């Protein structure tokens, strides 16, 4: 007979070696680390995703990978369509292929957390964004709509049956408690990898040398250039700053790329340029090129979430200029560790003052660098092991 294990005051019985299926429509290094942790513990594991972005650590050969429809961010209609198709694909996979597996369900697609209403698998939930709350916050649905009321009712039913409920911030835990007892909700923060990402001196950084940035103060944005991100503010900020040593560098791809490039051209900016995504193996050098790194919280993102790039930038000791609300979890993180400052998208003059202050006061910049690097130690890759049953 299987011995029971106690998780957050909830008794769970079952075979600890029972196969596990991880569900996340858009997966990257975090899901790879979790899946690899299961594989290292000799627990059979499958990862189901629409996209898998590999960084330094590949997916363990013992982990099976099953592809579903890719998440399409280009519009609300496309999002809802790809979420819906993914849900149907997942349901059929669970019914016909993974009926006897435990499920680790990530809230991506958002409908995935409703899968337990239609299957009898044991499951745990990993909540990156709380739905439908995130959709009401971004104005997709009104808080009193039929969809929201019934979704919330379904959440209470599903969350009450989960073996584990895991989320990534204390603020998000507070929202999850609407649907589950507080003692059942665990917080496992997102993590970084300080063996892969670390500070690199400018004169020893091959990316910096290639781009001719050895003697520049680099304000870096690296990531998605999608419609939900306030990337235009970066170009507007570059237009405000007239300093020969400061260069803005935007690395990424997305729907706004052409718009941003046109804006740079129209404003005749010589201190701002764009590059495509670099090779994954070059990430340690591109991130380490930043004297200041910009993190934006997308308009459609919950104020309770923190972009994973935040933790990666800590690893290279980058001070942060964040474009997000003061009531956001991101702003709270930045203030708690004293690793930068947070601004609204319309606070361009204040952003400008911050950048110039850092250029003129290198001792303050170095303090933020040290704080950022120290903060990264609180978010290590060992967090991935905490998902093992």
């Amino acid at each position: 007979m299987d011995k029971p294990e106690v998780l957050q005051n909830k008794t769970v019985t079952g075979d600890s070696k029972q196969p596990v299926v991880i569900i996340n429509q858009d997966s990257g290094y975090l899901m790879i680390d979790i899946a690899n942790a299961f594989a290292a513990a000799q627990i059979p594991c499958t990862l189901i995703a629409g996209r898998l972005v590999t960084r330094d650590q590949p997916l363990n050969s013992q982990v099976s990978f099953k592809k579903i429809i890719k998440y399409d961010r280009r519009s609300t209609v496309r999002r809802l369509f790809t979420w819906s198709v993914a849900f149907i694909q997942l349901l059929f996979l669970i019914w016909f292929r993974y009926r006897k597996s435990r499920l680790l369900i990530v809230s991506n697609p958002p409908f995935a957390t409703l899968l337990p209403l239609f299957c009898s698998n044991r499951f745990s939930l990993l909540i990156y964004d709380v739905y439908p709350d995130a959709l009401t916050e971004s104005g997709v649905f009104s808080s009193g709509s039929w969809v929201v009321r019934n979704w919330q009712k379904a959440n209470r039913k599903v969350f009450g049956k989960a073996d584990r409920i895991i989320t990534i911030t204390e603020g998000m835990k507070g929202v999850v408690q609407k649907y589950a007892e507080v003692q059942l909700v665990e917080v496992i923060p997102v993590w970084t990898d300080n063996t892969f990402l670390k500070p690199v001196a400018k004169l020893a950084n091959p990316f910096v040398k290639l781009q001719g940035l050895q003697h520049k103060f680099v304000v870096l944005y690296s990531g998605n250039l999608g419609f939900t991100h306030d990337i235009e503010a970066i170009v507007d900020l570059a237009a405000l700053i007239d300093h020969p040593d400061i260069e803005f560098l935007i690395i990424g791809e997305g729907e706004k790329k052409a718009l941003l490039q046109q804006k740079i051209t129209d404003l005749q900016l010589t201190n701002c340029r764009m590059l495509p995504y670099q090779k994954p193996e070059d990430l340690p050098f591109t991130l380490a090129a930043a004297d200041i790194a910009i993190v934006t919280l997308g308009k459609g993102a919950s104020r309770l979430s923190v972009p994973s790039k935040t933790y990666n930038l800590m690893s290279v000791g980058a001070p942060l200029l964040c474009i997000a609300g003061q009531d956001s979890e991101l702003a709270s993180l930045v203030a708690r560790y004293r690793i930068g400052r947070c601004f609204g998208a319309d606070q361009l003059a204040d952003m400008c003052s911050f950048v110039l202050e850092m250029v003129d006061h290198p001792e303050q910049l170095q303090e933020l660098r040290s704080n950022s690097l120290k903060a990264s130690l609180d978010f290590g890759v060992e967090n991935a092991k905490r998902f093992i049953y």
Side-chain angles (χ1 to χ4, degrees), residues 110-163:
F111 303 148
T113 57
L114 303 179
L115 286 167
L117 295 174
F118 305 94
C119 60
S120 58
N121 301 62
R122 291 177 54 194
F123 67 96
S124 298
L125 300 174
L126 172 53
I127 306 298
Y128 280 165
D129 280 307
V130 184
Y131 292 94
D133 303 69
L135 296 178
T136 59
E137 187 178 323
S138 59
V140 176
F141 295 115
S142 67
S143 58
S145 68
W146 179 90
V147 171
V148 170
R149 285 186 288 107
N150 281 275
W151 197 334
Q152 290 175 335
K153 183 178 179 180
N155 277 352
R156 295 184 185 97
K157 184 175 180 179
V158 170
F159 284 41
K161 297 195 302 179
D163 285 349

Side-chain angles (χ1 to χ4, degrees), residues 177-188:
Q177 287 170 197
K178 292 170 55 177
Y179 306 115
E181 297 178 17
V182 60
Q183 69 269 22
L184 300 181
V185 184
E186 307 170 59
V187 175
I188 301 180

Side-chain angles (χ1 to χ4, degrees), residues 230-241:
D230 288 310
I231 313 297
E232 297 95 328
I234 300 172
V235 179
D236 292 333
L237 177 59
L240 276 179
I241 293 181

Side-chain angles (χ1 to χ4, degrees), residues 228-237 240 256 263 294-299 321-326 342-352:
T228 61
H229 292 265
D230 288 310
I231 313 297
E232 297 95 328
I234 300 172
V235 179
D236 292 333
L237 177 59
L240 276 179
K256 281 188 175 179
K263 188 166 187 174
I294 296 177
V295 178
T296 65
L297 194 59
K299 296 174 183 176
L321 188 165
C322 299
I323 302 176
Q326 293 298 326
C342 212
F343 305 91
D346 58 344
Q347 294 181 288
L348 290 173
D350 293 330
M351 293 184 210
C352 181

Side-chain angles (χ1 to χ4, degrees), residues 257-272:
K257 184 175 182 179
L259 181 151
L260 293 171
Q261 189 61 68
Q262 187 60 51
K263 188 166 187 174
I264 292 170
T265 301
D266 291 345
L267 293 173
Q268 299 181 343
L269 298 182
T270 58
N271 64 342
C272 184

